[in-house]
Amino acid sequence: MLDLQEIITDQVRLYIGDEVPDEYLSDQYVKDVPAVYAVALPKTHDEVVKLVQFAKEQELTIIARGANTGVAGAQVPLHGEELIIDLKLMNRILDLDEETFTLTVEPGVLVGDIHQYVESKGYFYPPDPASKHSSIGGNVATNAGGLRAVKYGVTRDYVREMDVVLPSGEELTLGSLNIKSSSGYDLLDLFIGSEGTLGITTQIKLRLLPLPEVTQTVLIVFDNVFQATEGTLSVLTSGATPSEIELFERDAVYYAEQHLGYPLQAQQGEAFLLIEIDGNDGAELAARMEMITDAVANDALEVIPLMKEEEARKAELIRDNILIGLMEYTEYEMLDEVVPINQFAELIEYTKNLQEKHGLNVLNFGHAGDGNVHTILMRDDLSEEEWETRRAALLDDLYRKVQDLGGLPSAEHGIGIVKKEYLDKMSADINLKYMRKIKEVFDPENRLNPGKLF
């Protein structure tokens, strides 16, 4: 019989029972996290296989975990006595194949480190979640999108191949380096976005692109968020092909400004679009930037070209640090609902109506170019009872509207436990039925991340 101490011989990588650190037993979105059996931090694929075999022998459930940046409770214990397999030490960049434009990494590599490494070599990994300290394994588990999804797509579009360990201890390689495939079921796509409920990823081969030679950024100022959403549609139909269209409100910017210690470049207006375009020809980019300027001419208060890289970076950091700044002031819940792009403006307007109806402060920011809204509900000085009551009522209304608009409860953060109720309400029974059947095929004993998704 396997023994944990024999599998993880370096004891600083193993915590059993009362030794488990508090960081594994707390979560912003899930209260009363129960104690777990143990936490193991493997460094190799073989150690992961042996840990899974141990869990099977001991009839333990398993939670795979990475950088712990998830915001849906997918990596949180629910029942107690789980074995947490923390993959953050499997953080090596293994190979760059320049002939096939493929980067091979372990799941614990941070996405920001991937960007830095490949760009130093003249390559480009487009998926760009705001949380640069999230792990690539977590990005794959939730099919993360990020800022550049409007032009380049999401994580799924850049995963060529993965090695995974099933809850039985069996090992699979999914996908291949081939550009095209019409060879059986696409198991790779099935596992991407499955939130650790089907298998544990131990190696990932990512598709890279050549690094664009030129990037330009512009900050566009509007009187209100409704004009900004209309401006988004104008930009999308202009032919300018932006790589990013990020929307945020003045009230949200305030928290990032306080946290970072410097202001946004625009001090008028109540809503902003931060737009980036990229390519290989400066003249061609200038023409596309003119298309953007012309598209918003009737609605914008101000158009501010951020010509220097430092200026663009400061504006991007304002957007990326809204949540971090907000943490210093109040408890909040962040959503990541998504609707068809032509319904984006109506959803934003509806969130403002809900603010008045339920007496909760509501902020919005997000990826305006792909219909993904990050709506933030702020607790402020409400009591716990008032917060829970108003929050639940607002969420019921909001997700009902999202469904009416043809949208979904999560675009890139996943369902986890936090949005499980709403996935259930917004999904056809037959869809959920076959999702559960797929889970039963790969995990008949419900050993991997039980209680998540559905």
Side-chain angles (χ1 to χ4, degrees), residues 20 23-27 30 33-42 48 51-52 55-56 59-68 70 72-88 141 165 167 194-201 416-417 439 443 446-452:
V20 173
E23 66 182 276
Y24 295 96
L25 304 176
S26 60
D27 184 82
V30 180
V33 178
V36 298
Y37 180 86
V39 174
L41 290 87
V48 174
L51 288 169
V52 170
K56 183 173 177 60
E59 298 186 348
L60 300 173
T61 54
I62 302 169
I63 297 175
R65 172 178 161 129
N68 196 36
Q75 73 280 22
V76 180
L78 296 180
H79 308 294
E81 290 301 296
E82 292 94 341
L83 172 63
I84 295 179
I85 300 179
D86 186 342
L87 301 163
K88 68 182 178 184
V165 180
S194 62
E195 300 187 46
T197 62
L198 300 180
I200 300 174
T201 304
I417 186 65
K439 168 74 167 170
D443 188 12
N446 197 25
R447 193 171 304 286
L448 277 182
N449 216 2
K452 311 297 169 56

Side-chain angles (χ1 to χ4, degrees), residues 5 8-16 19 21 23-24 39-43 86 88-89:
Q5 287 90 346
I8 306 295
T9 56
D10 181 357
Q11 294 306 299
V12 298
R13 297 190 289 121
L14 181 64
Y15 306 99
I16 300 175
E19 300 172 352
E23 66 182 276
Y24 295 96
V39 174
L41 290 87
K43 285 187 172 182
D86 186 342
K88 68 182 178 184
L89 298 183

Side-chain angles (χ1 to χ4, degrees), residues 205-362:
K205 293 185 183 294
L206 299 170
R207 177 171 75 99
L208 305 179
L209 301 178
L211 183 67
E213 294 180 6
V214 188
T215 300
Q216 291 187 11
T217 305
V218 62
L219 180 66
I220 306 177
V221 185
F222 297 88
D223 267 327
N224 55 61
V225 70
F226 310 119
Q227 288 183 342
T229 57
E230 292 300 326
T232 298
L233 293 175
S234 298
V235 171
L236 287 172
T237 58
S238 69
T241 318
S243 53
E244 297 179 12
I245 306 180
E246 293 296 300
L247 178 147
F248 41 90
E249 297 183 73
R250 167 71 66 192
D251 288 345
V253 167
Y254 168 81
Y255 297 100
E257 289 176 329
Q258 297 303 304
H259 174 72
L260 293 170
Y262 62 79
L264 188 67
Q265 287 90 336
Q267 289 304 298
Q268 61 175 332
E270 294 301 319
F272 311 93
L273 293 180
L274 184 65
I275 300 178
E276 180 184 281
I277 56 176
D278 60 16
N280 297 320
D281 184 296
E284 187 257 351
L285 253 67
R288 286 163 56 198
M289 188 60 74
E290 187 173 348
M291 291 178 182
I292 292 172
T293 302
D294 290 345
V296 300
N298 293 331
D299 295 318
L301 277 177
E302 187 178 9
V303 177
I304 305 174
L306 303 179
M307 304 303 293
K308 295 181 180 179
E309 184 178 343
E310 180 183 356
E311 291 176 344
R313 181 61 181 150
K314 280 190 170 183
E316 290 170 356
L317 284 172
I318 289 282
R319 185 261 177 237
D320 288 353
N321 281 270
I322 289 171
L323 291 180
I324 296 174
L326 195 58
M327 284 179 189
E328 300 173 8
Y329 290 88
T330 183
E331 183 180 343
Y332 65 86
E333 179 160 348
M334 179 179 64
L335 315 179
D336 79 313
E337 71 272 30
V338 61
V339 294
I341 188 61
N342 63 325
Q343 305 294 345
F344 187 80
E346 184 172 348
L347 179 60
I348 292 288
E349 183 174 4
Y350 187 73
T351 66
K352 294 304 182 182
N353 294 336
L354 291 181
Q355 175 175 266
E356 300 303 320
K357 176 180 179 181
H358 295 286
L360 280 177
N361 282 328
V362 175

Side-chain angles (χ1 to χ4, degrees), residues 29 71 323 332-336 365 374-376 413 419:
Y29 295 95
V71 291
L323 291 180
Y332 65 86
E333 179 160 348
M334 179 179 64
L335 315 179
D336 79 313
F365 70 97
H374 294 310
T375 298
I376 305 172
H413 294 165
K419 300 170 197 147

Side-chain angles (χ1 to χ4, degrees), residues 377-393:
L377 314 181
M378 300 171 62
R379 177 175 174 177
D380 294 327
D381 59 356
L382 294 175
S383 69
E384 181 72 19
E385 183 179 358
E386 287 178 310
W387 163 241
E388 291 297 336
T389 300
R390 296 187 191 186
R391 168 188 161 278

